[in-house]
Amino acid sequence: MPKKIISVGKKIWATMTGWLKKFWSNFRDVPLISWLVAFSVTVALEIFIGQALARMVGLSKPPALFGVALVLDNPAKFLSAIIYMILVYGLPVGVIAYLTKGVGNQIAEWLLQFPLLLTSVVHLLLIYGVMHYWTSISDYRLLVARLAMISIIVTLSLNVVNGYMGEFSCSHPGFMALGAYVSSIFTVLLFVTDNRFGDALLPAFLGPFMFPVSLVLGGFVSAAGALLVAIPSFRTRGDYLAIISLAFMFIVKSLFENLEVVGGARGISNQPDYANLWTIFVWTVLAIWIINNFVRSTMGKALNAVRDGELAASAMTVNTQKTKMVAFLFAAFWAGIGGGLFAHVIRYINPGTFGIRKLAEVLAMVYFGGLNSVTGSIVGAVGFSLISEALRPLDIFKWIFIPIMLILIMIYRPTGLIAFREFDVAQLFQPKGKKDEEGVDHAAA
Amino acid sequence: MPLLEVSNMTHFFGGLRAVHAYNLEIEPGQIRGLIGPNGAGKTTIFNLITGIYDPTEGEILLEGKTIKGREPNKIASRGLGRTFQTLRLWRHMSVIDHIKLGRYSKLDYGLPGAFFSTPRRLREEEKTTKIAMDLLELVGLPETADQLVTNLPYGAQRRVELARALATEPKILFLDEPTAGMNPEELIDMMKIIREVHQELDLAIFLIEHRMKVVMDLCELIQTLDFGEVIAEGTPDDIRNDPKVIDAYLGKEVSV
């Protein structure tokens, strides 16, 4: 009897995935630009009729994050949320993407004759536009979007060490803390009048212009901290880096807990609100661009060589010590930038923020998204941030659900969702559908 | 002046004397062989000269300058390329990237180039790709450039390793059992490629080999090693008839 049930279940599963595949094949040849257009229409739709529509299906306001939080709060609203999501997101996106794919492909084709920079700018502006208006509906969305983008920076930088270089570093929260504290001290000291650091030293209008300086400063301090970890641990291979970097994280945390000058365990607050959506967007794009440049260059490929065979790398003239050192400091720099942005989004930091839970989060994003892959890190950071936010109403059960999800991913895709794939921007913007090329799945190989 | 000169090199692993008073002189363009039974210390000699181990005693000169105790990557960029007995390829990397990495020390776009795609970097990467393609052509694998190296058959992987070593622009090439584990066809291909490489790039080659046919055909001079000491040195014909060599391989007749 149970055998029969299982076989029927399998059949249903097979037909369902078959349908999904067939359904998806209609969208295979939709270029990125059409998707972006479809999403911008959807966002406009939500802005103009979202409120009315939400009322109509029995919700008090448009659900902030795809309605998951709403449903978990009140399961009776399940149907309403689904209807809303389909009417505002599912249906319009699908229809418009499908309808505009011809035009979209023509535009993408036409854009090919221009330099890649221009095409990138067009796409980035569209992405930013969609995000800007999507987040304009609620402050909560804005916060989630900004934190998700910061997660991308941090995850990507950790992937350089844990994925591309194949070491296991645990000190990223420590680097984030260094960046967050340094940039916070910089901006609060110079541009904010408060009772910790006294009067503002410079006029406030200079603040936004000096903000990048404070971030870069934080990044460099993080990199200097990374040097402390790198010198003793890169003489050998294996678990030493994991242990030393974990120790480093705790050292940084207790350092700030005991430094009364910067608030001790109470931390620093009153950071000016410099980290708005577009600032973070620019920094995220910059991080992706630079890190992707690095890992795709022959110098960056040396990291993979060190990971997969250090002896052979050194016999091929690769200076393995220098390579590891540079990558580690580089990763710490970006973690510092991420920390600085984080401090100016939350506008309050304390040492407790940069503890073991943050570490678990960042590691989960890296391994969820996929090792050795920029796309994987982006997917991992955004996906994990959204899931984690959506499950917030579950409270403590969230930390049961998320680990189970991670365990399942580790079992079925040990290197993460999208691992060992190169992030080629030019390919991303290309018109689709002419030649149907399937990406080779290295993760499964 | 010989290209590579090793004099009186001795190495101990703890109390074990792995190599004793080893001498070697290689002239430009020479092909030399090193043979000996298992465990004689052949690969140890390779590792000592290429800087993976630091010899306990002795001197190693490359073009008259010492390379003893230098880091492997420095020695490699001074013109001493090598392959490994067990393949040491990078399993997640494509064939072309393997060969491009051999050019690591020749790239000088520096960190700015690595972080931002500067025109200089694009230029150098393009040049490197071209050189790598030429080398792939030389070893007969141009169509595999974008494949993952682990998807190639064994013989092809060996050739990728050879091309990778050639990308470092060696003046002298160390081949550690280049035909180990190959079938007869692959073996003949490999020997042909070694000959071609030798002629076209005018390299000196120093190789370890177990298959007598390969050593006898390729090498001008052969050293025989047993228990870390050279027991015979000479042309293939000398070696073939040397009683000490026969003893080392087959054992002595015991007089009752």
Side-chain angles (χ1 to χ4, degrees), chain A residues 20 40 58 73 75 83-84 98 117 137 149-150 198 203 212 219 224 244 259 306 368 382 412 422 441:
Chain A
L20 265 180
S40 41
D73 219 24
I83 292 172
Y84 181 87
Y98 186 75
L117 186 69
I137 295 211
M149 282 197 286
I150 292 170
I244 294 175
L259 266 182
V306 168
F368 174 70
V382 174
Y412 292 106
E422 280 205 0
D441 196 354

mmCIF file with all atom_site columns, all heavy atoms in Angstrom, chain A residues 20 40 58 73 75 83-84 98 117 137 149-150 198 203 212 219 224 244 259 306 368 382 412 422 441:
data_model
loop_
_atom_site.group_PDB
_atom_site.id
_atom_site.type_symbol
_atom_site.label_atom_id
_atom_site.label_alt_id
_atom_site.label_comp_id
_atom_site.label_asym_id
_atom_site.label_entity_id
_atom_site.label_seq_id
_atom_site.pdbx_PDB_ins_code
_atom_site.Cartn_x
_atom_site.Cartn_y
_atom_site.Cartn_z
_atom_site.occupancy
_atom_site.B_iso_or_equiv
_atom_site.pdbx_formal_charge
_atom_site.auth_seq_id
_atom_site.auth_comp_id
_atom_site.auth_asym_id
_atom_site.auth_atom_id
_atom_site.pdbx_PDB_model_num
ATOM 1   N N   . LEU A 1 20  ? 5.879  22.537 -15.112 1.00 0.00 ? 20  LEU A N   1
ATOM 2   C CA  . LEU A 1 20  ? 6.680  23.715 -14.781 1.00 0.00 ? 20  LEU A CA  1
ATOM 3   C C   . LEU A 1 20  ? 7.711  23.975 -15.865 1.00 0.00 ? 20  LEU A C   1
ATOM 4   O O   . LEU A 1 20  ? 7.907  25.102 -16.302 1.00 0.00 ? 20  LEU A O   1
ATOM 5   C CB  . LEU A 1 20  ? 7.375  23.510 -13.436 1.00 0.00 ? 20  LEU A CB  1
ATOM 6   C CG  . LEU A 1 20  ? 6.657  24.083 -12.220 1.00 0.00 ? 20  LEU A CG  1
ATOM 7   C CD1 . LEU A 1 20  ? 7.447  23.803 -10.966 1.00 0.00 ? 20  LEU A CD1 1
ATOM 8   C CD2 . LEU A 1 20  ? 6.445  25.583 -12.385 1.00 0.00 ? 20  LEU A CD2 1
ATOM 9   N N   . SER A 1 40  ? 9.289  46.830 -13.581 1.00 0.00 ? 40  SER A N   1
ATOM 10  C CA  . SER A 1 40  ? 8.989  48.236 -13.324 1.00 0.00 ? 40  SER A CA  1
ATOM 11  C C   . SER A 1 40  ? 7.493  48.499 -13.502 1.00 0.00 ? 40  SER A C   1
ATOM 12  O O   . SER A 1 40  ? 6.914  49.272 -12.739 1.00 0.00 ? 40  SER A O   1
ATOM 13  C CB  . SER A 1 40  ? 9.836  49.161 -14.211 1.00 0.00 ? 40  SER A CB  1
ATOM 14  O OG  . SER A 1 40  ? 9.934  48.649 -15.499 1.00 0.00 ? 40  SER A OG  1
ATOM 15  N N   . GLY A 1 58  ? -9.158 41.961 0.948   1.00 0.00 ? 58  GLY A N   1
ATOM 16  C CA  . GLY A 1 58  ? -9.318 41.807 2.383   1.00 0.00 ? 58  GLY A CA  1
ATOM 17  C C   . GLY A 1 58  ? -8.057 42.001 3.203   1.00 0.00 ? 58  GLY A C   1
ATOM 18  O O   . GLY A 1 58  ? -7.925 41.465 4.305   1.00 0.00 ? 58  GLY A O   1
ATOM 19  N N   . ASP A 1 73  ? 1.434  35.398 10.541  1.00 0.00 ? 73  ASP A N   1
ATOM 20  C CA  . ASP A 1 73  ? 0.771  36.094 11.627  1.00 0.00 ? 73  ASP A CA  1
ATOM 21  C C   . ASP A 1 73  ? -0.686 35.658 11.743  1.00 0.00 ? 73  ASP A C   1
ATOM 22  O O   . ASP A 1 73  ? -1.195 35.419 12.823  1.00 0.00 ? 73  ASP A O   1
ATOM 23  C CB  . ASP A 1 73  ? 0.834  37.602 11.337  1.00 0.00 ? 73  ASP A CB  1
ATOM 24  C CG  . ASP A 1 73  ? 1.093  38.362 12.611  1.00 0.00 ? 73  ASP A CG  1
ATOM 25  O OD1 . ASP A 1 73  ? 1.656  37.739 13.530  1.00 0.00 ? 73  ASP A OD1 1
ATOM 26  O OD2 . ASP A 1 73  ? 0.754  39.553 12.661  1.00 0.00 ? 73  ASP A OD2 1
ATOM 27  N N   . PRO A 1 75  ? -2.980 32.993 9.600   1.00 0.00 ? 75  PRO A N   1
ATOM 28  C CA  . PRO A 1 75  ? -3.091 32.029 8.497   1.00 0.00 ? 75  PRO A CA  1
ATOM 29  C C   . PRO A 1 75  ? -4.363 32.203 7.665   1.00 0.00 ? 75  PRO A C   1
ATOM 30  O O   . PRO A 1 75  ? -4.391 31.832 6.495   1.00 0.00 ? 75  PRO A O   1
ATOM 31  C CB  . PRO A 1 75  ? -3.095 30.675 9.213   1.00 0.00 ? 75  PRO A CB  1
ATOM 32  C CG  . PRO A 1 75  ? -2.410 30.936 10.496  1.00 0.00 ? 75  PRO A CG  1
ATOM 33  C CD  . PRO A 1 75  ? -2.759 32.331 10.883  1.00 0.00 ? 75  PRO A CD  1
ATOM 34  N N   . ILE A 1 83  ? -3.740 35.786 -3.665  1.00 0.00 ? 83  ILE A N   1
ATOM 35  C CA  . ILE A 1 83  ? -4.433 36.499 -4.748  1.00 0.00 ? 83  ILE A CA  1
ATOM 36  C C   . ILE A 1 83  ? -3.724 37.816 -5.044  1.00 0.00 ? 83  ILE A C   1
ATOM 37  O O   . ILE A 1 83  ? -3.449 38.153 -6.204  1.00 0.00 ? 83  ILE A O   1
ATOM 38  C CB  . ILE A 1 83  ? -5.911 36.758 -4.372  1.00 0.00 ? 83  ILE A CB  1
ATOM 39  C CG1 . ILE A 1 83  ? -6.654 35.427 -4.317  1.00 0.00 ? 83  ILE A CG1 1
ATOM 40  C CG2 . ILE A 1 83  ? -6.576 37.685 -5.381  1.00 0.00 ? 83  ILE A CG2 1
ATOM 41  C CD1 . ILE A 1 83  ? -8.059 35.546 -3.776  1.00 0.00 ? 83  ILE A CD1 1
ATOM 42  N N   . TYR A 1 84  ? -3.374 38.524 -3.986  1.00 0.00 ? 84  TYR A N   1
ATOM 43  C CA  . TYR A 1 84  ? -2.692 39.804 -4.171  1.00 0.00 ? 84  TYR A CA  1
ATOM 44  C C   . TYR A 1 84  ? -1.381 39.610 -4.917  1.00 0.00 ? 84  TYR A C   1
ATOM 45  O O   . TYR A 1 84  ? -1.085 40.324 -5.886  1.00 0.00 ? 84  TYR A O   1
ATOM 46  C CB  . TYR A 1 84  ? -2.447 40.463 -2.806  1.00 0.00 ? 84  TYR A CB  1
ATOM 47  C CG  . TYR A 1 84  ? -1.759 41.790 -2.926  1.00 0.00 ? 84  TYR A CG  1
ATOM 48  C CD1 . TYR A 1 84  ? -2.500 42.951 -3.113  1.00 0.00 ? 84  TYR A CD1 1
ATOM 49  C CD2 . TYR A 1 84  ? -0.381 41.889 -2.884  1.00 0.00 ? 84  TYR A CD2 1
ATOM 50  C CE1 . TYR A 1 84  ? -1.888 44.176 -3.240  1.00 0.00 ? 84  TYR A CE1 1
ATOM 51  C CE2 . TYR A 1 84  ? 0.253  43.099 -3.024  1.00 0.00 ? 84  TYR A CE2 1
ATOM 52  C CZ  . TYR A 1 84  ? -0.508 44.248 -3.202  1.00 0.00 ? 84  TYR A CZ  1
ATOM 53  O OH  . TYR A 1 84  ? 0.108  45.447 -3.335  1.00 0.00 ? 84  TYR A OH  1
ATOM 54  N N   . TYR A 1 98  ? 6.579  38.194 -21.237 1.00 0.00 ? 98  TYR A N   1
ATOM 55  C CA  . TYR A 1 98  ? 6.320  37.366 -22.417 1.00 0.00 ? 98  TYR A CA  1
ATOM 56  C C   . TYR A 1 98  ? 6.038  38.234 -23.638 1.00 0.00 ? 98  TYR A C   1
ATOM 57  O O   . TYR A 1 98  ? 6.581  37.990 -24.727 1.00 0.00 ? 98  TYR A O   1
ATOM 58  C CB  . TYR A 1 98  ? 5.138  36.441 -22.139 1.00 0.00 ? 98  TYR A CB  1
ATOM 59  C CG  . TYR A 1 98  ? 4.886  35.454 -23.237 1.00 0.00 ? 98  TYR A CG  1
ATOM 60  C CD1 . TYR A 1 98  ? 5.723  34.344 -23.392 1.00 0.00 ? 98  TYR A CD1 1
ATOM 61  C CD2 . TYR A 1 98  ? 3.834  35.628 -24.122 1.00 0.00 ? 98  TYR A CD2 1
ATOM 62  C CE1 . TYR A 1 98  ? 5.513  33.443 -24.409 1.00 0.00 ? 98  TYR A CE1 1
ATOM 63  C CE2 . TYR A 1 98  ? 3.616  34.722 -25.141 1.00 0.00 ? 98  TYR A CE2 1
ATOM 64  C CZ  . TYR A 1 98  ? 4.448  33.637 -25.284 1.00 0.00 ? 98  TYR A CZ  1
ATOM 65  O OH  . TYR A 1 98  ? 4.260  32.739 -26.281 1.00 0.00 ? 98  TYR A OH  1
ATOM 66  N N   . LEU A 1 117 ? 29.998 49.263 -21.178 1.00 0.00 ? 117 LEU A N   1
ATOM 67  C CA  . LEU A 1 117 ? 29.749 50.198 -20.075 1.00 0.00 ? 117 LEU A CA  1
ATOM 68  C C   . LEU A 1 117 ? 28.357 50.815 -20.193 1.00 0.00 ? 117 LEU A C   1
ATOM 69  O O   . LEU A 1 117 ? 27.599 50.854 -19.228 1.00 0.00 ? 117 LEU A O   1
ATOM 70  C CB  . LEU A 1 117 ? 30.822 51.292 -20.094 1.00 0.00 ? 117 LEU A CB  1
ATOM 71  C CG  . LEU A 1 117 ? 30.781 52.263 -18.922 1.00 0.00 ? 117 LEU A CG  1
ATOM 72  C CD1 . LEU A 1 117 ? 31.175 51.559 -17.647 1.00 0.00 ? 117 LEU A CD1 1
ATOM 73  C CD2 . LEU A 1 117 ? 31.675 53.453 -19.171 1.00 0.00 ? 117 LEU A CD2 1
ATOM 74  N N   . ILE A 1 137 ? 7.197  52.016 -1.093  1.00 0.00 ? 137 ILE A N   1
ATOM 75  C CA  . ILE A 1 137 ? 5.902  51.683 -0.514  1.00 0.00 ? 137 ILE A CA  1
ATOM 76  C C   . ILE A 1 137 ? 5.960  51.589 0.999   1.00 0.00 ? 137 ILE A C   1
ATOM 77  O O   . ILE A 1 137 ? 5.066  52.051 1.697   1.00 0.00 ? 137 ILE A O   1
ATOM 78  C CB  . ILE A 1 137 ? 5.386  50.373 -1.132  1.00 0.00 ? 137 ILE A CB  1
ATOM 79  C CG1 . ILE A 1 137 ? 5.149  50.656 -2.615  1.00 0.00 ? 137 ILE A CG1 1
ATOM 80  C CG2 . ILE A 1 137 ? 4.122  49.883 -0.410  1.00 0.00 ? 137 ILE A CG2 1
ATOM 81  C CD1 . ILE A 1 137 ? 4.064  49.877 -3.230  1.00 0.00 ? 137 ILE A CD1 1
ATOM 82  N N   . MET A 1 149 ? 21.485 44.367 0.278   1.00 0.00 ? 149 MET A N   1
ATOM 83  C CA  . MET A 1 149 ? 22.610 44.774 -0.571  1.00 0.00 ? 149 MET A CA  1
ATOM 84  C C   . MET A 1 149 ? 23.923 44.747 0.199   1.00 0.00 ? 149 MET A C   1
ATOM 85  O O   . MET A 1 149 ? 24.962 44.371 -0.330  1.00 0.00 ? 149 MET A O   1
ATOM 86  C CB  . MET A 1 149 ? 22.339 46.152 -1.165  1.00 0.00 ? 149 MET A CB  1
ATOM 87  C CG  . MET A 1 149 ? 21.386 46.091 -2.336  1.00 0.00 ? 149 MET A CG  1
ATOM 88  S SD  . MET A 1 149 ? 21.437 47.571 -3.319  1.00 0.00 ? 149 MET A SD  1
ATOM 89  C CE  . MET A 1 149 ? 20.569 48.703 -2.268  1.00 0.00 ? 149 MET A CE  1
ATOM 90  N N   . ILE A 1 150 ? 23.876 45.150 1.472   1.00 0.00 ? 150 ILE A N   1
ATOM 91  C CA  . ILE A 1 150 ? 25.088 45.074 2.296   1.00 0.00 ? 150 ILE A CA  1
ATOM 92  C C   . ILE A 1 150 ? 25.505 43.611 2.446   1.00 0.00 ? 150 ILE A C   1
ATOM 93  O O   . ILE A 1 150 ? 26.691 43.276 2.385   1.00 0.00 ? 150 ILE A O   1
ATOM 94  C CB  . ILE A 1 150 ? 24.846 45.739 3.662   1.00 0.00 ? 150 ILE A CB  1
ATOM 95  C CG1 . ILE A 1 150 ? 24.668 47.237 3.461   1.00 0.00 ? 150 ILE A CG1 1
ATOM 96  C CG2 . ILE A 1 150 ? 26.000 45.464 4.596   1.00 0.00 ? 150 ILE A CG2 1
ATOM 97  C CD1 . ILE A 1 150 ? 24.188 47.955 4.678   1.00 0.00 ? 150 ILE A CD1 1
ATOM 98  N N   . GLY A 1 198 ? 31.108 65.201 21.594  1.00 0.00 ? 198 GLY A N   1
ATOM 99  C CA  . GLY A 1 198 ? 31.007 66.653 21.638  1.00 0.00 ? 198 GLY A CA  1
ATOM 100 C C   . GLY A 1 198 ? 30.494 67.257 20.341  1.00 0.00 ? 198 GLY A C   1
ATOM 101 O O   . GLY A 1 198 ? 29.858 66.587 19.529  1.00 0.00 ? 198 GLY A O   1
ATOM 102 N N   . PRO A 1 203 ? 31.142 71.373 9.222   1.00 0.00 ? 203 PRO A N   1
ATOM 103 C CA  . PRO A 1 203 ? 29.734 71.635 8.872   1.00 0.00 ? 203 PRO A CA  1
ATOM 104 C C   . PRO A 1 203 ? 29.066 70.401 8.296   1.00 0.00 ? 203 PRO A C   1
ATOM 105 O O   . PRO A 1 203 ? 29.700 69.623 7.577   1.00 0.00 ? 203 PRO A O   1
ATOM 106 C CB  . PRO A 1 203 ? 29.834 72.752 7.825   1.00 0.00 ? 203 PRO A CB  1
ATOM 107 C CG  . PRO A 1 203 ? 31.245 72.742 7.371   1.00 0.00 ? 203 PRO A CG  1
ATOM 108 C CD  . PRO A 1 203 ? 32.061 72.243 8.518   1.00 0.00 ? 203 PRO A CD  1
ATOM 109 N N   . PRO A 1 212 ? 32.116 58.425 1.888   1.00 0.00 ? 212 PRO A N   1
ATOM 110 C CA  . PRO A 1 212 ? 32.965 57.415 1.256   1.00 0.00 ? 212 PRO A CA  1
ATOM 111 C C   . PRO A 1 212 ? 34.350 57.338 1.898   1.00 0.00 ? 212 PRO A C   1
ATOM 112 O O   . PRO A 1 212 ? 34.899 56.245 2.062   1.00 0.00 ? 212 PRO A O   1
ATOM 113 C CB  . PRO A 1 212 ? 33.072 57.883 -0.198  1.00 0.00 ? 212 PRO A CB  1
ATOM 114 C CG  . PRO A 1 212 ? 31.879 58.714 -0.423  1.00 0.00 ? 212 PRO A CG  1
ATOM 115 C CD  . PRO A 1 212 ? 31.579 59.361 0.892   1.00 0.00 ? 212 PRO A CD  1
ATOM 116 N N   . GLY A 1 219 ? 37.492 50.334 5.828   1.00 0.00 ? 219 GLY A N   1
ATOM 117 C CA  . GLY A 1 219 ? 37.987 49.196 5.060   1.00 0.00 ? 219 GLY A CA  1
ATOM 118 C C   . GLY A 1 219 ? 39.467 48.968 5.284   1.00 0.00 ? 219 GLY A C   1
ATOM 119 O O   . GLY A 1 219 ? 39.900 47.826 5.487   1.00 0.00 ? 219 GLY A O   1
ATOM 120 N N   . ALA A 1 224 ? 43.985 46.043 7.871   1.00 0.00 ? 224 ALA A N   1
ATOM 121 C CA  . ALA A 1 224 ? 45.112 45.996 8.805   1.00 0.00 ? 224 ALA A CA  1
ATOM 122 C C   . ALA A 1 224 ? 44.859 44.931 9.866   1.00 0.00 ? 224 ALA A C   1
ATOM 123 O O   . ALA A 1 224 ? 45.770 44.187 10.258  1.00 0.00 ? 224 ALA A O   1
ATOM 124 C CB  . ALA A 1 224 ? 45.309 47.369 9.463   1.00 0.00 ? 224 ALA A CB  1
ATOM 125 N N   . ILE A 1 244 ? 42.245 30.646 14.290  1.00 0.00 ? 244 ILE A N   1
ATOM 126 C CA  . ILE A 1 244 ? 42.780 31.973 14.577  1.00 0.00 ? 244 ILE A CA  1
ATOM 127 C C   . ILE A 1 244 ? 41.762 33.053 14.232  1.00 0.00 ? 244 ILE A C   1
ATOM 128 O O   . ILE A 1 244 ? 41.570 34.017 14.975  1.00 0.00 ? 244 ILE A O   1
ATOM 129 C CB  . ILE A 1 244 ? 44.099 32.201 13.815  1.00 0.00 ? 244 ILE A CB  1
ATOM 130 C CG1 . ILE A 1 244 ? 45.165 31.248 14.356  1.00 0.00 ? 244 ILE A CG1 1
ATOM 131 C CG2 . ILE A 1 244 ? 44.570 33.635 13.958  1.00 0.00 ? 244 ILE A CG2 1
ATOM 132 C CD1 . ILE A 1 244 ? 46.456 31.284 13.617  1.00 0.00 ? 244 ILE A CD1 1
ATOM 133 N N   . LEU A 1 259 ? 36.273 49.043 25.511  1.00 0.00 ? 259 LEU A N   1
ATOM 134 C CA  . LEU A 1 259 ? 36.759 50.381 25.197  1.00 0.00 ? 259 LEU A CA  1
ATOM 135 C C   . LEU A 1 259 ? 35.661 51.392 25.534  1.00 0.00 ? 259 LEU A C   1
ATOM 136 O O   . LEU A 1 259 ? 34.729 51.576 24.752  1.00 0.00 ? 259 LEU A O   1
ATOM 137 C CB  . LEU A 1 259 ? 37.112 50.479 23.713  1.00 0.00 ? 259 LEU A CB  1
ATOM 138 C CG  . LEU A 1 259 ? 38.555 50.229 23.300  1.00 0.00 ? 259 LEU A CG  1
ATOM 139 C CD1 . LEU A 1 259 ? 38.698 50.427 21.813  1.00 0.00 ? 259 LEU A CD1 1
ATOM 140 C CD2 . LEU A 1 259 ? 39.520 51.113 24.054  1.00 0.00 ? 259 LEU A CD2 1
ATOM 141 N N   . VAL A 1 306 ? 45.908 27.914 -5.788  1.00 0.00 ? 306 VAL A N   1
ATOM 142 C CA  . VAL A 1 306 ? 46.395 27.672 -4.428  1.00 0.00 ? 306 VAL A CA  1
ATOM 143 C C   . VAL A 1 306 ? 45.457 26.709 -3.695  1.00 0.00 ? 306 VAL A C   1
ATOM 144 O O   . VAL A 1 306 ? 45.887 25.814 -2.982  1.00 0.00 ? 306 VAL A O   1
ATOM 145 C CB  . VAL A 1 306 ? 46.517 29.003 -3.652  1.00 0.00 ? 306 VAL A CB  1
ATOM 146 C CG1 . VAL A 1 306 ? 46.738 28.760 -2.182  1.00 0.00 ? 306 VAL A CG1 1
ATOM 147 C CG2 . VAL A 1 306 ? 47.642 29.831 -4.227  1.00 0.00 ? 306 VAL A CG2 1
ATOM 148 N N   . PHE A 1 368 ? 24.952 28.772 1.127   1.00 0.00 ? 368 PHE A N   1
ATOM 149 C CA  . PHE A 1 368 ? 23.643 28.656 0.504   1.00 0.00 ? 368 PHE A CA  1
ATOM 150 C C   . PHE A 1 368 ? 23.728 29.045 -0.968  1.00 0.00 ? 368 PHE A C   1
ATOM 151 O O   . PHE A 1 368 ? 23.271 28.331 -1.858  1.00 0.00 ? 368 PHE A O   1
ATOM 152 C CB  . PHE A 1 368 ? 22.663 29.570 1.258   1.00 0.00 ? 368 PHE A CB  1
ATOM 153 C CG  . PHE A 1 368 ? 21.294 29.687 0.650   1.00 0.00 ? 368 PHE A CG  1
ATOM 154 C CD1 . PHE A 1 368 ? 20.425 28.609 0.676   1.00 0.00 ? 368 PHE A CD1 1
ATOM 155 C CD2 . PHE A 1 368 ? 20.864 30.873 0.083   1.00 0.00 ? 368 PHE A CD2 1
ATOM 156 C CE1 . PHE A 1 368 ? 19.158 28.719 0.134   1.00 0.00 ? 368 PHE A CE1 1
ATOM 157 C CE2 . PHE A 1 368 ? 19.599 30.987 -0.466  1.00 0.00 ? 368 PHE A CE2 1
ATOM 158 C CZ  . PHE A 1 368 ? 18.748 29.902 -0.436  1.00 0.00 ? 368 PHE A CZ  1
ATOM 159 N N   . VAL A 1 382 ? 20.860 37.716 -1.156  1.00 0.00 ? 382 VAL A N   1
ATOM 160 C CA  . VAL A 1 382 ? 19.506 38.250 -1.287  1.00 0.00 ? 382 VAL A CA  1
ATOM 161 C C   . VAL A 1 382 ? 18.484 37.215 -0.811  1.00 0.00 ? 382 VAL A C   1
ATOM 162 O O   . VAL A 1 382 ? 17.593 37.518 -0.015  1.00 0.00 ? 382 VAL A O   1
ATOM 163 C CB  . VAL A 1 382 ? 19.221 38.667 -2.754  1.00 0.00 ? 382 VAL A CB  1
ATOM 164 C CG1 . VAL A 1 382 ? 17.780 39.070 -2.917  1.00 0.00 ? 382 VAL A CG1 1
ATOM 165 C CG2 . VAL A 1 382 ? 20.140 39.796 -3.153  1.00 0.00 ? 382 VAL A CG2 1
ATOM 166 N N   . TYR A 1 412 ? 21.894 17.980 -0.846  1.00 0.00 ? 412 TYR A N   1
ATOM 167 C CA  . TYR A 1 412 ? 21.589 17.851 -2.266  1.00 0.00 ? 412 TYR A CA  1
ATOM 168 C C   . TYR A 1 412 ? 22.511 18.656 -3.164  1.00 0.00 ? 412 TYR A C   1
ATOM 169 O O   . TYR A 1 412 ? 22.716 18.321 -4.318  1.00 0.00 ? 412 TYR A O   1
ATOM 170 C CB  . TYR A 1 412 ? 20.120 18.200 -2.520  1.00 0.00 ? 412 TYR A CB  1
ATOM 171 C CG  . TYR A 1 412 ? 19.202 17.164 -1.923  1.00 0.00 ? 412 TYR A CG  1
ATOM 172 C CD1 . TYR A 1 412 ? 18.466 17.411 -0.778  1.00 0.00 ? 412 TYR A CD1 1
ATOM 173 C CD2 . TYR A 1 412 ? 19.137 15.894 -2.485  1.00 0.00 ? 412 TYR A CD2 1
ATOM 174 C CE1 . TYR A 1 412 ? 17.661 16.433 -0.215  1.00 0.00 ? 412 TYR A CE1 1
ATOM 175 C CE2 . TYR A 1 412 ? 18.341 14.911 -1.928  1.00 0.00 ? 412 TYR A CE2 1
ATOM 176 C CZ  . TYR A 1 412 ? 17.602 15.190 -0.797  1.00 0.00 ? 412 TYR A CZ  1
ATOM 177 O OH  . TYR A 1 412 ? 16.823 14.214 -0.242  1.00 0.00 ? 412 TYR A OH  1
ATOM 178 N N   . GLU A 1 422 ? 31.266 31.276 -13.655 1.00 0.00 ? 422 GLU A N   1
ATOM 179 C CA  . GLU A 1 422 ? 31.807 32.620 -13.855 1.00 0.00 ? 422 GLU A CA  1
ATOM 180 C C   . GLU A 1 422 ? 30.676 33.596 -14.094 1.00 0.00 ? 422 GLU A C   1
ATOM 181 O O   . GLU A 1 422 ? 29.686 33.273 -14.734 1.00 0.00 ? 422 GLU A O   1
ATOM 182 C CB  . GLU A 1 422 ? 32.778 32.639 -15.033 1.00 0.00 ? 422 GLU A CB  1
ATOM 183 C CG  . GLU A 1 422 ? 34.125 32.107 -14.644 1.00 0.00 ? 422 GLU A CG  1
ATOM 184 C CD  . GLU A 1 422 ? 35.237 32.648 -15.518 1.00 0.00 ? 422 GLU A CD  1
ATOM 185 O OE1 . GLU A 1 422 ? 34.953 33.433 -16.428 1.00 0.00 ? 422 GLU A OE1 1
ATOM 186 O OE2 . GLU A 1 422 ? 36.383 32.267 -15.274 1.00 0.00 ? 422 GLU A OE2 1
ATOM 187 N N   . ASP A 1 441 ? 26.682 22.460 -15.701 1.00 0.00 ? 441 ASP A N   1
ATOM 188 C CA  . ASP A 1 441 ? 26.558 22.455 -14.245 1.00 0.00 ? 441 ASP A CA  1
ATOM 189 C C   . ASP A 1 441 ? 27.785 21.808 -13.615 1.00 0.00 ? 441 ASP A C   1
ATOM 190 O O   . ASP A 1 441 ? 27.896 20.601 -13.504 1.00 0.00 ? 441 ASP A O   1
ATOM 191 C CB  . ASP A 1 441 ? 25.301 21.697 -13.846 1.00 0.00 ? 441 ASP A CB  1
ATOM 192 C CG  . ASP A 1 441 ? 24.927 21.997 -12.427 1.00 0.00 ? 441 ASP A CG  1
ATOM 193 O OD1 . ASP A 1 441 ? 25.698 22.684 -11.744 1.00 0.00 ? 441 ASP A OD1 1
ATOM 194 O OD2 . ASP A 1 441 ? 23.881 21.540 -11.993 1.00 0.00 ? 441 ASP A OD2 1
#
